[in-house]
Amino acid sequence: METRSLWEHTLTFFPQFLATLTERAPSDSTVAVIGASDGKFVLPLAAAGYRVLAIERDPLALHGGEVVLPGDVSGHVMGLIDRLKLEALHDRVRIVEEDFLQTNADQEKCDAVWTSCSWHYSANHHRPLAEFVTRMQSFVRPGGLFGAEFMMPTEPRHAGIEHYTSPDKLSRHFNDQWHVLLTLRTNEFIERAHVGQLQDHTHRMGLLLAAHAPK
């Protein structure tokens, strides 16, 4: 990629998701990315030949603008729309600029759905985690793939917030129409400063991949 995401250096389990997707779906399949941001995952999927449904409600992530960067410096960042144009990938991506929990975009069933550390944001805490997960599941056609990486508790304040979860707890949201393929978790690690977190900080992350049973 000639352009770079603001989140380029943050840790991710995305390679595990992409490897599983490659095994289970042809390259022209449709993948929904929930919380598409500026395209850290959208662009690699489109470049690999997938058709992408990118759902994102943050105008800055989509259109770019001024942000405060680590080191207390300001800078202009490129949004998803311009990154797709510069990489000549815009014809493979449909952008839905709506709240994921309110959009009707799930009427278009996808071969896979992916989200990265989206439901732990406080803006989503007014809705139960189960609602978020069920909504994601509704995007996946029978035989399709569900993938989510998520924040696990690292501080006492997280104990009362169900959105900071674990692979074991998240697995309970998958009934007999789903087969959990893989769960992973990290130990605590130090994440480098980035937009929104201007100091180095501690994280712990989990992954869950599940397959929707075919009809």
Side-chain angles (χ1 to χ4, degrees), residues 1-70:
M1 298 292 171
E2 295 183 9
T3 64
R4 297 180 69 82
S5 167
L6 273 175
W7 313 100
E8 196 76 31
H9 299 293
T10 55
L11 186 146
T12 180
F13 287 114
F14 180 71
Q16 285 85 350
F17 169 77
L18 185 58
T20 305
L21 178 65
T22 302
E23 292 173 356
R24 301 180 67 90
S27 60
D28 63 346
S29 299
T30 299
V31 182
V33 178
I34 310 305
S37 188
D38 65 357
K40 177 177 178 176
F41 309 110
V42 172
L43 271 72
L45 286 166
Y50 295 101
R51 288 173 282 118
V52 184
L53 175 65
I55 301 178
E56 177 57 64
R57 67 181 180 182
D58 181 5
L60 179 65
L62 293 174
H63 305 284
E66 298 298 317
V67 298
V68 178
L69 301 167

Side-chain angles (χ1 to χ4, degrees), residues 32 53 55 94 96 98 100 102-110 134-141:
L53 175 65
I55 301 178
R94 181 164 78 89
V96 176
E98 294 176 355
F100 163 68
Q102 297 179 357
T103 182
N104 62 2
D106 60 331
Q107 295 177 7
E108 176 186 338
K109 298 302 181 185
C110 298
T134 301
R135 193 86 167 107
M136 276 190 64
Q137 292 170 338
S138 73
F139 276 76
V140 185
R141 64 164 180 79

